[in-house]
Amino acid sequence: MIISFIHSFQSEWLKKKRSLSSWLVIVGGFFTPIIIIIARLVHYKQLPALYAKEGFWNQLWQSSWESMAIFLLPVGVILATSLITQLEYKNNTWKQLHTAPLSFTSIFFSKLLVIVIMVVQFFILFNIGIYLSALIPYLLVKGVPYPAAQLPFAAVLKEDGYYFMDCLPIVALQYLLSLKYKNFLVPVGIGFGLWIASLGALSWKFGYLIPYAYCMLNFLKNQTNGRAAIPAINIHVMAVGYFILISIVGYIMYLTKKEKG
Amino acid sequence: MYCVQTRQLSHNFSAQAAVLQTINLQVPKGSIYGFLGPNGAGKTTTLRLLLGLLKQQQGEILIFGKALEQNRVAILKQVGSLIESPSLYGHLTATENMLLWQKIYQCPKERIAAVLHLVGLADTGNKKAGQFSLGMKQRLSIAVALLHNPELLVLDEPTNGLDPNGMIEIRSLLLQLNQEQGITILLSSHLLAEIEKLVSHVGVINKGQMMFQGTLDDLKSKQQEALSIVFETNNTMQTLQIIRDNDLLPQVADGKVIIPAVSKNITAKIIQQLVNNGIEVYEAGIIKNDLESIFMELINN
């Protein structure tokens, strides 16, 4: 079973080569850092003072994650997850995959694992991008010192871990929807609807119940301007709980599907 | 021994009429079995059930003598398939497409080049499968089905979309695989003429029911049974009466009298009686029904 799962995973990993979803991971990972680099090069005169600040890394981290947590990460996960299953619909390959000597369990979880690893890949690229957005202006602009503050590795890893857990419910629900509906627009439309609902419900005290809200809530947790109603419970545990629950429901739905291609 | 066998296999997609009704398919090991029927007869549904793509509702499916439901993965290791249109990843090259199936089947990597060569796609280089012609896609799909050296090939209308040359090539490839490697082939088609020269066994399905199953020779003997004799005379009514007096059941079509095939002696006797009764005989001959007519007759019954 484990061997067959590994073979299935290897095959799934090959399928995403040159696919739109794999490009989305690369573009999404470097999009915000590139914007930051351009903005810094445009306002290069302010850079020496900025790079000398004690809170340099924290500020860079916050500005990098602002658009990412609110917009790019949820939307990127919605699109990338739906695109992975769309590969099978678009190419008419579900039937070939389901006649391969693989258990349905292996097929379901190997695809899910590919998506989760793509999210990890995105986080790695995004972190590299953030570092490059600090390094490139330092290398290109004369007189800009290397950031005086020490790189907060532990805090970065901790926050990455939180954001990773927080986007997992989106992965699970989009995966469930995209397995259920052949038409790409349905899972993407529902995903966008839930993302907008999460945005609209940020200041509502029960807004945290929407599974797409956790990345935003994690970003806004330290802000005191009332933009978001931060619940007293641990949202990361809740996100992981949602992920497990939705994945189990998706697995049962996939297993009990009467027609498999 | 049967390589594929179904017992009382029935299936319906809704509460309405059954798509398949008590199908007892019997595909002998080492045979090339042509599964024939018009569009919508239930061929693809049967093949999808055999491959586990549809949930079994009623009946039993045995492949290599084992129940499909309980041994799905073990059975599929020995089965290669192509159902309806080609299933290929359009953004990958032919070799990359093969590579991802090689990972699953864990067959030697050398098989990729070998089967691509076999189907004539060895030189497609970096061209993506999405840019292939329909014939090339079909051949690549057959290569995928052959990759792991299966004991059984299930092909749903494998020559769909191929030009006449492509059809001949695929037919000779299948014949070669069957004769040299002993692969059992179950292939569906809606045209008897297309597979007549290829198959050893035939199953005819129509409206979800098996109309005929047996060897191609059995079908040909049906053709023999279906021979008729035609008489064209200047007096149809009197001709009918004379034939009836010989204990035969004549029919009239286009002003001609037709009877089931009888011995040469009886034919001669009838002609003599017609002449003796002053009837002018313009034509007396044998109508040979070809296999296609037999097939049409079976599906129109």
Side-chain angles (χ1 to χ4, degrees):
Chain A
M1 178 75 179
I2 292 168
I3 300 289
S4 128
F5 175 78
I6 293 167
H7 296 155
S8 175
F9 174 77
Q10 288 175 328
S11 167
E12 291 298 334
W13 191 255
L14 278 174
K15 280 180 203 172
K16 69 170 197 62
K17 187 179 178 183
R18 286 196 295 270
S19 70
L20 208 53
S21 52
S22 57
W23 282 112
L24 201 65
V25 168
I26 297 167
V27 172
F30 288 114
F31 181 76
T32 306
I34 288 171
I35 299 290
I36 290 175
I37 292 168
I38 293 168
R40 291 199 165 171
L41 292 177
V42 170
H43 303 287
Y44 66 94
K45 284 180 185 165
Q46 298 164 15
L47 293 184
L50 183 72
Y51 274 65
K53 274 186 184 173
E54 190 56 35
F56 172 82
W57 290 110
N58 188 41
Q59 196 188 348
L60 177 64
W61 180 259
Q62 286 296 318
S63 53
S64 299
W65 269 103
E66 187 170 14
S67 59
M68 189 53 75
I70 306 294
F71 171 67
L72 289 173
L73 183 59
V75 170
V77 170
I78 289 169
L79 289 173
T81 308
S82 305
L83 282 168
I84 284 288
T85 53
Q86 198 58 34
L87 270 181
E88 307 291 353
Y89 287 119
K90 196 181 96 187
N91 293 304
N92 197 18
T93 42
W94 272 122
K95 59 180 191 281
Q96 199 69 35
L97 183 59
H98 286 142
T99 53
L102 294 170
S103 68
F104 296 129
T105 306
S106 291
I107 296 172
F108 179 89
F109 286 106
S110 58
K111 269 196 188 300
L112 183 58
L113 184 62
V114 165
I115 298 167
V116 170
I117 291 183
M118 280 171 71
V119 175
V120 173
Q121 220 179 11
F122 160 79
F123 274 82
I124 292 168
L125 293 178
F126 184 52
N127 279 267
I128 292 170
I130 292 175
Y131 182 70
L132 289 176
S133 69
L135 194 66
I136 289 172
Y138 152 73
L139 294 173
L140 294 181
V141 182
K142 270 189 181 173
V144 174
Y146 186 79
Q150 201 154 14
L151 193 63
F153 274 116
V156 163
L157 282 178
K158 192 173 133 191
E159 278 300 306
D160 276 339
Y162 284 157
Y163 279 118
F164 174 69
M165 286 189 274
D166 295 342
C167 73
L168 287 178
I170 310 178
V171 169
L173 193 52
Q174 284 307 131
Y175 187 48
L176 178 153
L177 291 168
S178 57
L179 285 175
K180 172 92 182 144
Y181 299 102
K182 187 178 178 179
N183 187 338
F184 178 67
L185 293 175
V186 178
V188 170
I190 296 173
F192 275 33
L194 283 166
W195 169 64
I196 291 165
S198 305
L199 261 178
L202 274 177
S203 55
W204 181 42
K205 65 176 177 176
F206 293 117
Y208 70 94
L209 291 174
I210 305 174
Y212 287 44
Y214 302 116
C215 294
M216 304 178 209
L217 290 173
N218 187 49
F219 179 76
L220 298 169
K221 67 188 170 194
N222 296 323
Q223 296 193 2
T224 50
N225 54 12
R227 276 173 73 189
I230 307 299
I233 60 156
N234 187 329
I235 56 165
H236 314 300
V237 172
M238 192 142 173
V240 174
Y242 257 136
F243 172 69
I244 294 169
L245 181 72
I246 300 167
S247 296
I248 292 170
V249 173
Y251 173 62
I252 293 168
M253 283 171 70
Y254 170 73
L255 224 52
T256 53
K257 220 173 172 180
K258 282 182 184 166
E259 284 186 49
K260 290 194 164 67
Chain B
M1 183 198 162
Y2 295 117
C3 185
V4 179
Q5 191 176 12
T6 68
R7 290 180 188 148
Q8 304 290 307
L9 188 66
S10 298
H11 195 84
N12 59 300
F13 288 110
S14 62
Q16 293 159 358
V19 177
L20 292 182
Q21 296 170 52
T22 59
I23 298 290
N24 294 310
L25 198 69
Q26 293 174 333
V27 181
K29 193 173 179 340
S31 66
I32 303 184
Y33 186 105
F35 194 35
L36 289 160
N39 290 331
K43 301 185 297 289
T44 302
T45 304
T46 309
L47 299 188
R48 286 169 77 199
L49 278 162
L50 293 181
L51 293 166
L53 291 172
L54 287 177
K55 203 168 168 55
Q56 230 171 289
Q57 294 170 345
Q58 276 177 53
E60 205 180 351
I61 298 172
L62 300 171
I63 298 177
F64 311 125
K66 292 177 191 164
L68 178 70
E69 271 192 319
Q70 287 78 40
N71 303 281
R72 183 185 152 269
V73 173
I75 287 170
L76 290 176
K77 278 184 185 165
Q78 301 300 326
V79 178
S81 65
L82 161 58
I83 297 292
E84 290 178 310
S85 48
S87 296
L88 302 164
Y89 297 93
H91 61 291
L92 301 177
T93 64
T95 307
E96 287 166 346
N97 264 285
M98 301 299 285
L99 193 60
L100 63 91
W101 295 111
Q102 183 268 334
K103 296 279 178 205
I104 291 174
Y105 289 108
Q106 288 295 299
C107 51
K109 269 192 180 173
E110 295 74 44
R111 281 289 297 163
I112 295 177
V115 285
L116 283 178
H117 180 75
L118 194 68
V119 298
L121 291 175
D123 304 318
T124 50
N126 289 326
K127 193 173 180 180
K128 310 284 177 294
Q131 298 166 327
F132 284 9
S133 67
L134 185 57
M136 287 169 83
K137 284 180 182 172
Q138 200 77 353
R139 280 188 282 161
L140 183 54
S141 297
I142 292 175
V144 170
L146 292 173
L147 179 68
H148 54 296
N149 234 336
E151 279 181 44
L152 168 67
L153 263 183
V154 179
L155 308 171
D156 190 15
E157 315 223 359
T159 50
N160 251 3
L162 296 182
D163 56 26
N165 264 343
M167 283 186 191
I168 293 166
E169 276 175 32
I170 294 296
R171 278 203 291 261
S172 66
L173 171 67
L174 295 178
L175 210 54
Q176 183 191 339
L177 289 167
N178 175 259
Q179 287 170 353
E180 290 176 9
Q181 297 177 34
I183 298 176
T184 307
I185 301 171
L186 165 58
L187 78 161
S188 77
S189 177
H190 56 271
L191 298 171
L192 175 61
E194 192 184 280
I195 57 167
E196 198 183 325
K197 288 176 189 155
L198 177 67
V199 299
S200 58
H201 291 71
V202 178
V204 179
I205 187 173
N206 189 34
K207 293 177 184 164
Q209 289 181 309
M210 277 305 250
M211 310 305 290
F212 172 83
Q213 181 165 238
T215 62
L216 190 66
D217 290 339
D218 290 339
L219 190 65
K220 282 179 177 165
S221 63
K222 258 191 171 298
Q223 178 190 13
Q224 204 64 31
E225 284 167 23
L227 290 178
S228 321
I229 296 174
V230 63
F231 296 96
E232 189 180 0
T233 64
N234 66 340
N235 189 335
T236 306
M237 295 311 291
Q238 209 180 339
T239 306
L240 282 170
Q241 192 51 54
I242 290 169
I243 289 172
R244 280 194 196 108
D245 292 345
N246 282 281
D247 297 328
L248 294 167
L249 292 170
Q251 286 180 321
V252 180
D254 297 332
K256 295 178 182 179
V257 178
I258 298 167
I259 58 166
V262 287
S263 68
K264 285 178 181 174
N265 294 343
I266 296 173
T267 310
K269 187 180 151 195
I270 293 169
I271 294 170
Q272 201 167 21
Q273 286 173 356
L274 292 172
V275 174
N276 290 344
N277 282 282
I279 298 168
E280 291 176 15
V281 180
Y282 305 132
E283 181 192 348
I286 294 172
I287 302 173
K288 281 186 181 174
N289 282 346
D290 56 12
L291 279 180
E292 204 62 47
S293 330
I294 306 297
F295 171 57
M296 289 309 291
E297 199 176 299
L298 282 169
I299 63 174
N300 287 329
N301 270 343

